[in-house]
Coordinates of all heavy atoms in Angstrom, one line a residue:
G45 N 3.0 14.9 9.6 CA 1.9 14.7 10.5 C 0.7 14.5 9.7 O 0.6 14.9 8.5
A47 N -3.7 13.8 10.4 CA -4.8 13.6 11.3 C -5.9 12.7 10.6 O -6.1 12.8 9.4 CB -5.4 14.9 11.7
Q50 N -8.2 13.8 7.8 CA -7.6 14.0 6.5 C -7.7 12.8 5.6 O -7.5 12.9 4.4 CB -6.1 14.4 6.7 CG -5.9 15.8 7.3 CD -4.4 16.1 7.4 OE1 -3.8 15.7 8.4 NE2 -3.9 16.9 6.5
A92 N 2.9 24.1 6.3 CA 2.3 23.5 5.1 C 1.2 22.5 5.7 O 1.3 22.1 6.8 CB 3.3 22.8 4.2
C93 N 0.3 22.0 4.8 CA -0.7 21.0 5.2 C -0.9 20.1 4.0 O -1.1 20.6 2.9 CB -2.0 21.8 5.6 SG -3.3 20.6 6.1
L94 N -0.9 18.8 4.3 CA -1.2 17.8 3.2 C -2.5 18.0 2.5 O -2.7 17.6 1.4 CB -1.0 16.4 3.7 CG 0.4 16.0 4.1 CD1 0.4 14.6 4.7 CD2 1.4 16.1 2.9
S95 N -3.5 18.6 3.3 CA -4.8 18.9 2.7 C -5.0 20.2 2.0 O -6.0 20.4 1.4 CB -5.9 18.8 3.9 OG -5.9 17.5 4.4
I96 N -3.9 21.0 2.0 CA -3.9 22.3 1.3 C -2.6 22.4 0.5 O -1.8 23.2 0.8 CB -4.1 23.5 2.3 CG1 -5.2 23.2 3.3 CG2 -4.4 24.8 1.5 CD1 -5.3 24.3 4.4
H135 N -0.7 21.7 15.1 CA -1.4 21.7 13.8 C -2.3 20.5 13.7 O -3.5 20.6 13.2 CB -0.3 21.6 12.7 CG -0.8 21.5 11.3 ND1 -0.6 22.5 10.4 CD2 -1.4 20.5 10.6 CE1 -1.1 22.2 9.2 NE2 -1.6 20.9 9.4
E136 N -1.8 19.3 14.1 CA -2.7 18.1 14.0 C -3.8 18.1 15.0 O -4.9 17.7 14.7 CB -1.8 16.8 14.3 CG -0.6 16.7 13.3 CD -1.0 16.9 11.8 OE1 -2.1 16.5 11.4 OE2 -0.1 17.4 11.1
H139 N -6.6 20.0 13.5 CA -7.5 19.2 12.6 C -8.6 18.4 13.3 O -9.7 18.3 12.8 CB -6.6 18.1 11.9 CG -5.9 18.7 10.6 ND1 -6.6 19.3 9.6 CD2 -4.6 18.7 10.3 CE1 -5.7 19.7 8.7 NE2 -4.5 19.3 9.1
V144 N -8.1 24.5 10.3 CA -7.0 24.4 9.4 C -6.2 25.7 9.4 O -6.6 26.6 10.1 CB -7.4 24.1 7.9 CG1 -8.1 22.7 7.8 CG2 -8.3 25.2 7.3
T145 N -5.0 25.7 8.8 CA -4.1 26.8 8.9 C -4.8 28.1 8.4 O -4.6 29.2 9.0 CB -2.9 26.6 8.0 OG1 -3.2 26.3 6.7 CG2 -2.0 25.5 8.6
Ligands
ZN201 ZN1 -2.8 19.8 8.1

Side-chain angles (χ1 to χ4, degrees):
Q50 293 181 276
C93 179
L94 293 175
S95 292
I96 315 176
H135 178 112
E136 302 312 327
H139 275 304
V144 298
T145 55

